[in-house]
Amino acid sequence: TGYDIEKILDWYNKSEHRKIFKVQLSGAKPALYLSGYNFLDRDKKQGRYPVFSRHNPKIYMSKDNAEKTISPLREENYDVVLC
């Protein structure tokens, strides 16, 4: 029993895929994405700062949530864009 590859590809190409959003550090070569946060003092949760990386970006399932992340980063003078 084999799979009908043409049928599977047709389904895949015609189906609607959910859009995802990432926060990118503007102008970085190679592209760097927000991947999380670290703390200067992890035990006290003080001095939180963003971490940007090439791999494993934070994924946002809605544009609104991604935009809520961008505003505070811009206030801290990070040049970031939504992608």
Side-chain angles (χ1 to χ4, degrees), residues 53-68:
S53 68
R54 291 173 52 189
H55 306 287
N56 299 322
K58 288 184 67 67
I59 302 295
Y60 298 90
M61 302 308 272
S62 78
K63 189 174 183 178
D64 287 343
N65 284 342
E67 288 174 340
K68 287 177 187 175

Side-chain angles (χ1 to χ4, degrees), residues 41-57:
D41 185 341
R42 189 175 297 169
D43 294 331
K44 295 179 182 178
K45 302 274 190 227
Q46 291 178 335
R48 184 176 109 145
Y49 62 91
V51 175
F52 295 90
S53 68
R54 291 173 52 189
H55 306 287
N56 299 322

Side-chain angles (χ1 to χ4, degrees), residues 21-36:
F21 303 90
K22 299 179 279 188
V23 176
Q24 182 178 355
L25 191 59
S26 185
K29 300 286 183 198
L32 297 175
Y33 303 97
L34 178 66
S35 59

